[in-house]
Amino acid sequence: MNYQRLLDEIALEVNPLLGQGKVASYIPALAEIDPYSFGMAVVTIDGKVFTVGQATTPFSTQSISKVFNLVLAFSTLGEAIWRRVGKEPSGNAFNSLLQLEYENGIPRNPFINAGAIVLADMLCEHFSSADDALIGFVRKLANNPTIGYDQRVATSEKETGNRNYALGYLMKSFGNIRMPIETVMDFYFKQCSIAMSCVDLARAFLMLANHGEVPYSGERILTMSQAKRISSLMLTSGLYNEAGDFAFRVGLPAKSGVGGGIAAIIPQLLSVVVWSPELNGYGNSLAGIQALELFTTKSGISIF
Amino acid sequence: MNYQRLLDEIALEVNPLLGQGKVASYIPALAEIDPYSFGMAVVTIDGKVFTVGQATTPFSTQSISKVFNLVLAFSTLGEAIWRRVGKEPSGNAFNSLLQLEYENGIPRNPFINAGAIVLADMLCEHFSSADDALIGFVRKLANNPTIGYDQRVATSEKETGNRNYALGYLMKSFGNIRMPIETVMDFYFKQCSIAMSCVDLARAFLMLANHGEVPYSGERILTMSQAKRISSLMLTSGLYNEAGDFAFRVGLPAKSGVGGGIAAIIPQLLSVVVWSPELNGYGNSLAGIQALELFTTKSGISIF
Amino acid sequence: MNYQRLLDEIALEVNPLLGQGKVASYIPALAEIDPYSFGMAVVTIDGKVFTVGQATTPFSTQSISKVFNLVLAFSTLGEAIWRRVGKEPSGNAFNSLLQLEYENGIPRNPFINAGAIVLADMLCEHFSSADDALIGFVRKLANNPTIGYDQRVATSEKETGNRNYALGYLMKSFGNIRMPIETVMDFYFKQCSIAMSCVDLARAFLMLANHGEVPYSGERILTMSQAKRISSLMLTSGLYNEAGDFAFRVGLPAKSGVGGGIAAIIPQLLSVVVWSPELNGYGNSLAGIQALELFTTKSGISIF
Amino acid sequence: MNYQRLLDEIALEVNPLLGQGKVASYIPALAEIDPYSFGMAVVTIDGKVFTVGQATTPFSTQSISKVFNLVLAFSTLGEAIWRRVGKEPSGNAFNSLLQLEYENGIPRNPFINAGAIVLADMLCEHFSSADDALIGFVRKLANNPTIGYDQRVATSEKETGNRNYALGYLMKSFGNIRMPIETVMDFYFKQCSIAMSCVDLARAFLMLANHGEVPYSGERILTMSQAKRISSLMLTSGLYNEAGDFAFRVGLPAKSGVGGGIAAIIPQLLSVVVWSPELNGYGNSLAGIQALELFTTKSGISIF
């Protein structure tokens, strides 16, 4: 497969979509991004890197980093995490309070905000510094020691994060948050603020495509079974309330963020990450989804 | 892969689970089934058939037949069907009225009862006899002209089907049911009553594993893209409110029914069907899920 | 109190509101009504009658007749009715399915559609002809043997009544409807179709103001306690989702209908009924509510 | 009416109920109360006071003080308050988050927790010290300068108040809380902690029975219309999810608290307050409700 030509074609074809979505505007750091930004990267398990556009420009990973949260917690705490967070698609807006009330404070899955907050609580309880543990983990996965939190983003998230505080307090009322709310929320907002490029993300997600082993270092992070299970969760719940449609059209395990990034994997083959900050009505990258659909259609690669 | 040895091992290993679930008892025809029944069949794309236990005994397919409903509608009416039914996981009990009220009578996906009723309405509108069209279609897919409706089951379903009538009338109030309710419901209840064996179902589902073409006849039913999309829907929404957990543990596109059957596919390779009438708390076959998890674990076959 | 002058003043003052609401249009028989119709009647316990406008023109009582349903059931079956219907305000749209699902098919109160359907079921079970029993009862209360059902309205209600059928079937699935759905719904739709004038309604409601005794005949229908309790229910739940606001502004036990009527009582004093077919956004008579607010403000009469 | 004999009879008749409910136990200060406590007081508009039992023992008013919150806000800020809080019964558990999500952060009424938090926010914004303003206001209404906050209760409420924080943050996310959450919640929890006796409460509520004027001082707090409107709200929404049943059985405007108090009024006549700390399943005083039902039944006094 000539991935370079594929990426070049895709960049051309999605170009007319730029300008048709809406950049997230609830915090200044996101609102200021050039809406016409576009980048895409493919990294294969055997170590080849292909890029097009702004593939090495760091952007705000936002909800994509929920996958790092989950991988770190799963690899550290094992099956016990599933007593406090579910594995089912949510079937509702990505930060709804309804389901929590009826399911006793147990979030449906780790990729809705409530689920990520519970995982943040677990990491805060386990590590003396969850901040340091997470960023060190991400740097190792991506093989890039310069990756860091964007403190300006974290601060803005916190200032506009009333609904996330509501989720945290509601779960605390059910006993599913154990550390002080401020500690948990500060870490949660920092986790959202990690800045990474398409290439960084593709490198970091490659471990999942490689069934749990970091390809370039040989370090095993997850068992094969655990890696497959996280892939399965990404497929059923990785794109907010559009997960079913994305699985239907694209059919890859993937995770999106309101910063406009989407990271996807093709098990045992490669990872592919796209960034285009304009979003569709579901909060997912408009051009990004189209780029990934073209990627599977043109390459004929599919898990189904 | 020695599929016969695999099936034999699985049958032995799940045997202790028999007696630990609960046979569906809301209609006599289901309640009377021997709870210790167990059968399993694998059919490969190149035509080999492997079985263990009661693999040729017909049982009530129940919700599994929603896949036939969907395939027939999709192949006949094309993309237009998605204007009246969604593709997202439901995140609620499989026959909830809540979501319908908030989403204007559009069911979340074709595998919840409301979605199957809308598809039944489409088929009733399109065919002069939807009954004949569907059973003929299923016979063709399964290459078995003796497959039929179980009128006793259909009648019982109708007698206890008040909640399904409620779903139908609610959708009619939103204009999403067009034919007379009685016509639609009669067809819906008949569709649930189709009796097939594990081998029948495995043969019929093989078309999906084979990307839309019936392997033994070469007839194309769906485009490759359509077949993959139905597989994706089965993965995200095929097992009621346990779909996420099943995808997590087993990772195969599958559809279950309260008759105790589960039909799954491994794209481009095979279909595998299990039947054990005792159900778990989610309404899925208790031993059946375990059998399929053993199948993927032991064979190492996975889509992820 | 000079009630005649009061009614005359009110009629003048609400006149500018005519033309500002919307006549119910879901069935032809209601849509055809002259939107500028207006009538009002006061009947005192000592037998005086005061009217203004079209106070003797029969109109479709619609939900107002739910009070007759309730009174007949309460006086016939006693406290047992409260095992199958609640006494709490609904806090939701007047025909919502949500609450029924969470409260096992027990409607919140007798004045939401679901509650009236359950009462209809009780009356169908108790009387050999519920139709005859109800209309005879209403004629007796209103002292007018010419009152009848409007079959054209009943037929139209049935044709557009899909949501009410959904309510009926949902409650049947919980076992809270015992008679055949068609029997119950036919009676329910007939009950909605009773045609009465303002004077008819005022006469019929006077029994409630008179603590359960029909003033002109001396016949006791309800005990004093029962009469007060129905008044209390009218106050908390008589005006759909606007009940709290109406209690706040007007402060009288009352029941409205989408035909544009509102019947209210002042305990131990009088009944007052207004009719103006244009509705506000809550489905209550726009000018009617204003007329009743003027009635209490100008007269200084209040239960608080 | 011989109110003294009435109270004596009631105290005797409800005595067997003591021991059959459950004292609120979510905070130590409430859990430690003697469950067999019982007191009752009547104060008439012409200044007579009647008591039985521990009618002068201060107890935790809890939600009863929401009425003072509301009266202070209504008398200070006028009709503007209704843009941020509704007047409709809630139809749900008294602190549910569901309705807030669907109604854009506007609580249904001032007597559910969310509504009282919004009023607390208004008072915090208006007064330089809302704490001082409220307690001064309550002392004036009750004519008792020794009434105060119970700081131990306030602190405990705050420590267990996660769900109330969730309500506050959710409303803040909709823009319906304007002051800092900590400021608002501290005041809200203090407001819940006001300690008053039956006689104190009866004196303070007499202003509402007297149509807005404090009887002993002649000071007008509310217009007659405003006073009636608050009475109406108490009738439709004063007893959590049991308001309809209480209106049905007792038929008086009233407000209850989990401390076991219930304050009620009979317009233009008297106020009556009962205290018995054991609660029924709805969080209302078990013996208290019975005592008030006996009061209306035996006296024959009713607003209906």
Side-chain angles (χ1 to χ4, degrees):
Chain A
M1 181 76 52
N2 188 332
Y3 289 116
Q4 189 57 53
R5 177 186 287 176
L6 188 56
L7 292 187
D8 292 341
E9 281 178 25
I10 291 170
L12 268 176
E13 290 190 32
V14 302
N15 192 265
L17 291 179
L18 305 185
Q20 298 192 16
K22 268 186 84 166
V23 171
S25 58
Y26 67 99
I27 62 170
L30 292 181
E32 292 161 4
I33 298 296
D34 175 8
Y36 288 82
S37 307
F38 181 85
M40 197 165 178
V42 165
V43 182
T44 62
I45 284 188
D46 55 11
K48 301 205 186 72
V49 178
F50 307 90
T51 68
V52 68
Q54 295 153 277
T56 57
T57 306
F59 60 89
S60 195
T61 57
Q62 295 289 325
S63 290
I64 299 175
S65 63
K66 285 171 178 157
V67 177
F68 303 129
N69 233 5
L70 171 61
V71 171
L72 180 56
F74 200 13
S75 67
T76 311
L77 305 167
E79 295 296 325
I81 66 172
W82 305 114
R83 286 199 287 270
R84 293 175 58 193
V85 64
K87 301 161 201 158
E88 295 300 321
S90 68
N92 272 304
F94 63 101
N95 49 9
S96 170
L97 291 147
L98 297 184
Q99 220 134 23
L100 280 181
E101 268 214 305
Y102 282 108
E103 300 184 341
N104 299 310
I106 307 294
R108 285 239 128 196
N109 65 63
F111 297 148
I112 54 174
N113 288 8
I117 292 168
V118 166
L119 288 176
D121 182 63
M122 294 181 201
L123 295 175
C124 287
E125 196 174 7
H126 184 76
F127 291 105
S128 57
S129 166
D131 280 18
D132 292 347
L134 182 67
I135 205 70
F137 184 66
V138 171
R139 285 169 180 164
K140 183 172 72 176
L141 290 180
N143 197 24
N144 179 353
T146 70
I147 292 168
Y149 299 113
D150 181 333
Q151 190 56 54
R152 185 178 163 231
V153 168
T155 303
S156 293
E157 295 282 354
K158 187 181 161 91
E159 282 164 1
T160 60
N162 293 313
R163 183 175 276 266
N164 287 317
Y165 270 97
L167 291 168
Y169 273 110
L170 181 58
M171 292 190 291
K172 195 166 182 65
S173 79
F174 283 107
N176 202 19
I177 295 291
R178 299 174 182 173
M179 302 293 285
I181 282 281
E182 283 305 329
T183 307
V184 177
M185 298 312 291
D186 279 349
F187 174 56
Y188 172 74
F189 291 128
K190 285 195 89 163
Q191 168 244 294
C192 294
S193 81
I194 298 177
M196 294 171 79
S197 69
C198 290
V199 170
D200 288 334
L201 281 166
R203 281 210 174 100
F205 273 71
L206 204 54
M207 175 274 291
L208 289 170
N210 196 33
H211 283 173
E213 197 181 282
V214 180
Y216 60 85
S217 70
E219 186 183 358
R220 177 155 295 283
I221 304 294
L222 299 169
T223 66
M224 185 171 79
S225 162
Q226 287 177 324
K228 288 180 179 183
R229 285 168 177 212
I230 288 182
S231 301
S232 155
L233 264 175
M234 287 165 61
L235 192 76
T236 57
S237 309
L239 270 85
Y240 306 131
N241 212 16
E242 200 182 3
D245 196 64
F246 183 82
F248 188 85
R249 284 169 59 192
V250 180
L252 296 184
K255 186 72 202 79
S256 62
V258 292
I262 309 176
I265 62 165
I266 299 181
Q268 297 185 265
L269 191 60
L270 56 79
S271 59
V272 50
V273 178
V274 63
W275 173 50
S276 169
E278 292 184 330
L279 309 178
N280 64 18
Y282 293 101
N284 293 315
S285 174
L286 183 78
I289 284 181
Q290 181 63 16
L292 290 172
E293 183 169 0
L294 288 170
F295 186 83
T296 51
T297 305
K298 284 172 179 285
S299 69
I301 304 172
S302 163
I303 65 170
F304 292 115
Chain B
M1 182 75 52
N2 188 330
Y3 289 116
Q4 189 56 53
R5 178 186 288 177
L6 189 55
L7 292 186
D8 293 340
E9 282 178 26
I10 291 169
L12 269 176
E13 291 189 32
V14 303
N15 192 264
L17 292 178
L18 305 186
Q20 298 192 18
K22 267 185 84 166
V23 171
S25 58
Y26 67 101
I27 61 171
L30 293 182
E32 292 160 5
I33 298 295
D34 174 10
Y36 288 83
S37 308
F38 180 84
M40 197 166 177
V42 165
V43 182
T44 62
I45 285 189
D46 54 11
K48 300 201 188 72
V49 179
F50 307 90
T51 66
V52 68
Q54 295 153 279
T56 55
T57 307
F59 60 88
S60 194
T61 58
Q62 294 289 327
S63 289
I64 300 176
S65 62
K66 286 172 177 158
V67 176
F68 303 130
N69 233 5
L70 171 60
V71 171
L72 180 56
F74 200 12
S75 67
T76 311
L77 304 167
E79 295 296 323
I81 65 173
W82 305 114
R83 286 200 287 269
R84 294 175 57 193
V85 64
K87 301 161 200 157
E88 296 300 322
S90 68
N92 273 304
F94 64 100
N95 49 9
S96 170
L97 291 147
L98 297 184
Q99 219 135 23
L100 280 181
E101 267 215 305
Y102 281 108
E103 300 185 342
N104 299 311
I106 308 294
R108 285 238 128 195
N109 66 62
F111 297 148
I112 53 174
N113 288 9
I117 292 169
V118 166
L119 288 176
D121 182 63
M122 295 181 201
L123 294 175
C124 286
E125 196 175 5
H126 184 76
F127 291 105
S128 56
S129 165
D131 279 18
D132 293 346
L134 182 67
I135 205 68
F137 184 66
V138 171
R139 286 169 179 164
K140 182 171 70 175
L141 290 180
N143 197 24
N144 178 353
T146 70
I147 293 168
Y149 299 112
D150 181 333
Q151 190 56 53
R152 183 175 164 232
V153 169
T155 302
S156 293
E157 294 284 352
K158 187 180 161 90
E159 281 163 2
T160 62
N162 293 313
R163 183 175 276 267
N164 287 316
Y165 270 97
L167 292 167
Y169 273 111
L170 181 58
M171 294 190 289
K172 195 166 183 65
S173 79
F174 283 107
N176 202 20
I177 295 291
R178 298 174 181 172
M179 301 294 285
I181 282 282
E182 283 305 330
T183 307
V184 176
M185 299 312 292
D186 279 349
F187 175 55
Y188 172 76
F189 292 127
K190 284 195 90 162
Q191 168 244 295
C192 294
S193 81
I194 298 177
M196 295 171 78
S197 69
C198 291
V199 170
D200 288 334
L201 280 166
R203 283 211 172 99
F205 271 72
L206 204 55
M207 176 274 291
L208 288 170
N210 196 33
H211 284 173
E213 196 180 285
V214 180
Y216 61 84
S217 70
E219 184 183 358
R220 177 154 293 284
I221 304 293
L222 299 169
T223 66
M224 183 171 79
S225 163
Q226 287 176 323
K228 288 180 177 183
R229 287 169 176 210
I230 288 181
S231 300
S232 155
L233 265 174
M234 286 165 61
L235 192 75
T236 58
S237 311
L239 271 86
Y240 306 131
N241 212 16
E242 199 181 4
D245 196 64
F246 184 82
F248 188 86
R249 285 169 59 193
V250 180
L252 295 184
K255 186 74 202 77
S256 61
V258 292
I262 310 177
I265 62 165
I266 299 180
Q268 297 185 265
L269 192 59
L270 56 78
S271 58
V272 49
V273 178
V274 62
W275 173 51
S276 169
E278 291 184 329
L279 309 178
N280 64 19
Y282 294 100
N284 294 315
S285 173
L286 183 78
I289 285 182
Q290 181 64 15
L292 290 172
E293 184 169 0
L294 287 171
F295 186 83
T296 52
T297 305
K298 285 171 178 285
S299 70
I301 303 172
S302 163
I303 66 169
F304 291 115
Chain C
M1 182 76 52
N2 188 331
Y3 290 117
Q4 189 57 52
R5 178 187 287 177
L6 189 55
L7 292 187
D8 292 341
E9 281 178 26
I10 291 170
L12 268 176
E13 292 190 32
V14 303
N15 192 264
L17 291 179
L18 305 185
Q20 298 192 17
K22 266 184 85 166
V23 171
S25 58
Y26 67 100
I27 61 170
L30 293 181
E32 292 160 5
I33 297 296
D34 174 10
Y36 288 83
S37 308
F38 181 85
M40 196 163 178
V42 165
V43 182
T44 62
I45 284 189
D46 55 10
K48 301 204 187 70
V49 179
F50 307 89
T51 66
V52 67
Q54 295 153 277
T56 56
T57 307
F59 60 89
S60 194
T61 58
Q62 295 287 327
S63 290
I64 300 175
S65 63
K66 286 171 177 157
V67 177
F68 302 130
N69 233 4
L70 171 61
V71 171
L72 181 55
F74 201 12
S75 68
T76 310
L77 305 167
E79 295 296 325
I81 65 173
W82 305 114
R83 286 199 288 270
R84 293 176 59 193
V85 64
K87 302 161 200 157
E88 296 299 322
S90 69
N92 273 304
F94 63 101
N95 48 9
S96 170
L97 292 147
L98 297 183
Q99 221 134 23
L100 280 182
E101 267 215 305
Y102 281 108
E103 301 184 341
N104 299 313
I106 307 294
R108 284 240 130 195
N109 66 62
F111 297 148
I112 54 174
N113 289 8
I117 293 168
V118 166
L119 288 176
D121 182 62
M122 295 179 200
L123 294 175
C124 286
E125 196 174 6
H126 184 76
F127 290 105
S128 57
S129 166
D131 280 17
D132 292 347
L134 182 66
I135 205 69
F137 184 66
V138 171
R139 286 170 180 164
K140 181 172 70 176
L141 290 180
N143 197 24
N144 178 353
T146 71
I147 292 169
Y149 298 113
D150 181 333
Q151 191 56 53
R152 184 178 162 229
V153 168
T155 303
S156 293
E157 295 283 353
K158 188 180 162 91
E159 282 163 2
T160 62
N162 292 312
R163 181 174 277 266
N164 287 317
Y165 270 97
L167 291 167
Y169 273 111
L170 181 58
M171 293 190 290
K172 196 166 182 65
S173 79
F174 284 106
N176 202 20
I177 295 292
R178 299 174 182 172
M179 301 294 285
I181 282 282
E182 283 305 330
T183 307
V184 177
M185 299 311 293
D186 279 349
F187 175 56
Y188 173 75
F189 292 126
K190 284 195 90 162
Q191 168 245 294
C192 294
S193 80
I194 298 177
M196 295 170 78
S197 69
C198 291
V199 171
D200 288 333
L201 280 166
R203 283 211 173 99
F205 272 72
L206 204 54
M207 176 274 292
L208 288 170
N210 196 34
H211 283 173
E213 197 180 283
V214 180
Y216 60 86
S217 70
E219 184 184 358
R220 178 154 295 281
I221 305 292
L222 299 169
T223 67
M224 185 172 78
S225 163
Q226 287 177 323
K228 288 181 178 184
R229 286 169 177 210
I230 288 181
S231 302
S232 156
L233 265 175
M234 287 165 60
L235 193 74
T236 57
S237 311
L239 271 86
Y240 306 132
N241 212 16
E242 199 181 3
D245 195 64
F246 183 81
F248 189 85
R249 286 169 59 193
V250 180
L252 295 184
K255 186 72 203 79
S256 62
V258 294
I262 309 177
I265 63 165
I266 299 180
Q268 298 186 263
L269 191 58
L270 56 78
S271 58
V272 49
V273 178
V274 61
W275 173 51
S276 169
E278 291 183 329
L279 309 178
N280 65 18
Y282 293 100
N284 293 316
S285 173
L286 183 78
I289 284 182
Q290 182 63 16
L292 290 172
E293 184 170 0
L294 287 171
F295 187 83
T296 52
T297 306
K298 284 172 179 285
S299 70
I301 304 172
S302 164
I303 64 170
F304 291 114
Chain D
M1 183 77 52
N2 188 332
Y3 291 116
Q4 190 57 52
R5 177 186 289 175
L6 189 54
L7 292 186
D8 293 340
E9 281 178 25
I10 292 170
L12 269 177
E13 291 190 30
V14 303
N15 192 264
L17 291 179
L18 306 185
Q20 299 192 15
K22 267 184 84 166
V23 171
S25 58
Y26 67 101
I27 62 171
L30 293 182
E32 292 160 3
I33 298 294
D34 175 9
Y36 288 83
S37 309
F38 181 84
M40 197 165 177
V42 165
V43 182
T44 62
I45 285 189
D46 56 11
K48 301 202 187 72
V49 179
F50 306 90
T51 67
V52 68
Q54 296 153 277
T56 57
T57 307
F59 60 88
S60 195
T61 58
Q62 294 289 326
S63 290
I64 299 176
S65 63
K66 286 172 178 158
V67 176
F68 303 129
N69 233 4
L70 171 61
V71 171
L72 181 55
F74 200 13
S75 68
T76 311
L77 304 167
E79 295 296 324
I81 65 173
W82 305 114
R83 287 198 287 270
R84 293 176 58 194
V85 64
K87 301 162 201 156
E88 295 299 322
S90 69
N92 272 304
F94 63 102
N95 49 9
S96 169
L97 291 146
L98 297 184
Q99 219 134 25
L100 281 181
E101 267 215 305
Y102 282 107
E103 300 184 342
N104 300 310
I106 308 293
R108 286 238 129 196
N109 66 62
F111 296 148
I112 53 175
N113 288 8
I117 293 169
V118 166
L119 288 176
D121 182 63
M122 295 180 201
L123 294 175
C124 286
E125 196 174 8
H126 184 76
F127 291 106
S128 56
S129 166
D131 280 18
D132 293 347
L134 182 66
I135 204 68
F137 184 67
V138 171
R139 286 169 180 163
K140 184 171 69 177
L141 290 180
N143 198 23
N144 179 353
T146 70
I147 292 169
Y149 298 113
D150 181 333
Q151 191 56 54
R152 184 177 163 231
V153 168
T155 303
S156 292
E157 294 283 352
K158 187 180 161 91
E159 282 163 2
T160 60
N162 293 311
R163 183 175 276 267
N164 287 317
Y165 270 97
L167 291 168
Y169 274 110
L170 181 59
M171 293 190 291
K172 196 166 182 64
S173 79
F174 284 107
N176 202 20
I177 295 292
R178 298 174 182 174
M179 301 295 285
I181 282 281
E182 283 305 329
T183 308
V184 176
M185 298 312 292
D186 278 350
F187 175 55
Y188 172 75
F189 292 127
K190 283 195 91 163
Q191 167 244 292
C192 294
S193 80
I194 298 175
M196 295 171 78
S197 70
C198 291
V199 171
D200 288 334
L201 280 166
R203 283 212 172 97
F205 271 72
L206 204 54
M207 175 274 292
L208 289 170
N210 197 32
H211 283 173
E213 198 180 282
V214 180
Y216 60 86
S217 70
E219 184 183 358
R220 177 154 295 280
I221 305 293
L222 299 169
T223 66
M224 184 172 79
S225 163
Q226 287 176 322
K228 288 180 179 184
R229 286 167 178 212
I230 288 181
S231 302
S232 155
L233 264 174
M234 287 163 62
L235 192 75
T236 57
S237 311
L239 270 86
Y240 307 132
N241 212 16
E242 199 181 5
D245 195 64
F246 183 82
F248 188 85
R249 286 170 58 193
V250 180
L252 295 183
K255 186 73 202 79
S256 62
V258 292
I262 309 176
I265 63 165
I266 299 180
Q268 298 184 264
L269 191 60
L270 57 79
S271 58
V272 50
V273 178
V274 63
W275 173 51
S276 170
E278 292 183 328
L279 309 178
N280 65 17
Y282 294 100
N284 293 316
S285 174
L286 183 78
I289 285 182
Q290 182 63 16
L292 290 172
E293 183 169 0
L294 287 171
F295 186 83
T296 51
T297 305
K298 284 172 177 287
S299 69
I301 304 172
S302 162
I303 65 170
F304 292 114

